[in-house]
Amino acid sequence: MGSVIRLLAFLARSGVLLLPFGVGLIGCSVCPCANPAPTEDATVLTRTCYRPAETPPGEAAPAPLPMPAPASTPRPMQMLALSGGVAGAPFTAGVLVGWSALGTRPEFDRVTGISSGSLIGAFAFLGPKYDLRLQHLILTVKTDDLFKFRPVECMLRHGAFGTAKPAERLFRHIYDDEFMADLRQAHAAGRRFFVGTMNLETRRLVVWDVGAVASSGRPDADDRVRKVLLAAVSWPGAFPPVAFDVEIDGHCHREEHCDAGSVAMALPPFAPLDDCPPGGDLYVLTSRKLYSEPVRVPKSAICRLKPSVTAIFEALTRADIARLHSLCLLGGTRFHLLAVPQDYRGEPPSLTNLYPKQARQLFETGYRYGARGSCWRTTSPGEEPGEESKPRDGSEIQGCP
C-alpha cells in the first residue's frame, strides 16, 4: 500500500495524472426524461432533456436555433480563437488587457475557446468591460479555488482524483447575473461565443453555442451555461465529468462531458467558409509555446512518458492552428497568431498545483505584447526560420562514437 501511495504522489508531482484518460468512469446509463437516474448532487445533472449538441452519423440534425436576420451586405468579421493550456492562461489574459489599453482591440463578432480558453473567452467575448474582472481572477485564483485533491474518496464515488466543487462555487460568483444579461444581449445582436467539450462516450468534439444556451428562455439557462463552462475545464480523471441529459430520437440519453483538449486545441470561428465574408481578421491566442525547448529526460519510464504526452498536445495545437491558417487563406480572412514566447521559462502545472506559480510574471509578459500591438505573426506554425523539419541523410551522425 505504501508503494502505491508513493507512486500516486510521484505522478501528481510530475503532472502525469493530467493525462486525458478517463479513470473509473461510473454511471453510463440511459435515463428516461420523466425519471432521471438519482444523483446525490442535482447541480451537476440536467434533469430535463434537450436536443444534443452533436448529431451521431446517420441521424437527422436537430432544428436550428432561430438566428437574427443577416444584414443585406455582410460585413467582414473580427474573430478570436483561444486555445487550451492552463500553464499559459495568464499570458493570454494579459494580452487581452494590454490590447484594450492600446485602444485597438476590436469588438469580436465570434469567439471560440477550448479548456482554459473557454473561461478567458467568456470575458473576451463581452469586451473590455470585463478586463478588470478577468485580471483579478487570473492574478488571485489558486488551485484550491478550482479543485480539491481527494483521490480515495473521489475515485470510489466519482471516478476522479478530486472534486470540482470549488470551481462550481467560483463560476457562480464570476459568471453572475450581470454577465448572463450581457451574454444574452451580445447573442441577440448576432455575435457568437462557441465552447468545445469532449463527449466521453463518443470521444468526439462537441461545440456549444453558449449565447444560445443562455438565451433559451429556460429558468435554469444560467446554470446550464455554467455547466458547459465547467465541463470545458474538467480534465478527465482529475475532475469528475459533467453530466447532461440529451434527447435523441425521442429517447433521453445521459452524456458525460469533459475538457476537449484531447481532441481539439483551437476551434474555427467560421463554418462553412461562405459564412465568413472576406476581408475580416482572425486572431489566434494560444496559451502555450508552439515548441518546447530541449531538455534532458531521465532514464525512467514515467519521465519518458511525460514529454511524449506534452508533444501530443503541442502537435495538436500546431495542427489546429495550421488548419485555421488554411481556412483564412481560402476565405480571404487575415490571420494573426500570438503564442507564449519561446524564451519564457516557468514551472509546469501538476495535479496538486494546477495553476502556474508565475501567474503575475506571465500576465505582465502578455500585457506588454498586447500593448505593443505589432507582435502578431501572420504565418502558420512551421513556416518561420528554425521551425521547419528537414529530412536527414545520415551525414549528421558521421564520426560520432
Side-chain angles (χ1 to χ4, degrees), residues 4-307:
V4 173
I5 294 176
R6 288 192 296 272
L7 176 60
L8 283 174
F10 173 77
L11 291 174
R13 290 193 301 270
S14 64
V16 173
L17 292 181
L18 299 182
L19 299 180
F21 306 129
V23 182
L25 297 177
I26 302 173
C28 302
S29 59
V30 176
C31 63
C33 286
N35 185 27
T39 177
E40 296 181 4
D41 183 7
T43 64
V44 295
L45 175 64
T46 303
R47 292 186 175 276
T48 51
C49 301
Y50 59 98
R51 292 296 302 179
E54 65 176 4
T55 303
E59 296 187 5
L65 292 165
M67 302 284 283
S72 55
T73 304
R75 63 175 179 82
M77 291 187 179
Q78 298 296 308
M79 297 167 287
L80 175 69
L82 299 169
S83 83
V86 68
F91 174 81
T92 299
V95 170
L96 290 167
V97 176
W99 198 357
S100 296
L102 180 64
T104 60
R105 175 177 156 188
E107 179 182 73
F108 296 111
D109 299 289
R110 296 186 182 178
V111 175
T112 66
I114 290 287
S115 190
S116 62
S118 302
L119 306 187
I120 297 175
F123 293 123
F125 178 62
L126 298 182
K129 171 183 176 180
Y130 285 86
D131 279 359
L132 287 179
R133 189 180 301 194
L134 172 60
Q135 180 174 343
H136 180 267
L137 172 68
I138 288 294
L139 296 182
T140 61
V141 70
K142 303 183 295 296
T143 299
D144 289 344
D145 297 323
L146 302 170
F147 175 79
K148 289 292 185 184
F149 183 59
R150 294 173 179 170
V152 176
E153 174 188 356
C154 291
M155 280 291 292
L156 294 175
R157 296 181 60 187
H158 306 297
F161 285 100
T163 174
K165 289 295 184 184
E168 292 178 25
R169 292 191 293 268
L170 178 65
F171 286 12
R172 284 194 294 269
H173 174 67
I174 62 176
Y175 303 123
D176 55 13
D177 293 343
E178 180 185 13
F179 172 89
M180 296 297 174
D182 289 342
L183 178 60
R184 283 186 280 270
Q185 182 177 359
H187 183 78
R191 298 165 58 215
R192 294 292 178 263
F193 174 41
F194 298 108
V195 163
T197 65
M198 185 182 77
N199 182 337
L200 275 174
E201 185 178 37
T202 63
R203 285 81 161 172
R204 292 176 61 184
L205 175 70
V206 177
V207 179
W208 303 80
D209 185 337
V210 181
V213 175
S215 305
S216 64
R218 300 183 58 91
D220 61 346
D222 293 359
D223 286 334
R224 289 183 179 227
V225 169
R226 297 183 187 105
K227 282 187 60 175
V228 170
L229 293 173
L230 178 63
V233 296
S234 294
W235 293 342
F239 289 68
V242 178
F244 297 87
D245 288 344
V246 299
E247 184 182 339
I248 302 177
D249 290 340
H251 298 282
C252 191
H253 177 72
R254 178 165 300 173
E255 294 181 350
E256 292 183 321
H257 287 251
C258 61
D259 189 309
S262 302
V263 291
M265 269 294 174
L267 293 179
F270 45 87
L273 285 174
D274 57 10
D275 193 30
C276 180
D281 295 273
L282 171 62
Y283 298 91
V284 182
L285 274 173
T286 175
S287 295
R288 62 173 68 247
K289 299 178 181 181
L290 294 179
Y291 301 90
S292 289
E293 62 277 3
V295 293
R296 289 191 175 275
V297 180
K299 294 181 178 180
S300 161
I302 295 296
C303 292
R304 288 171 173 169
L305 176 63
K306 184 179 176 182

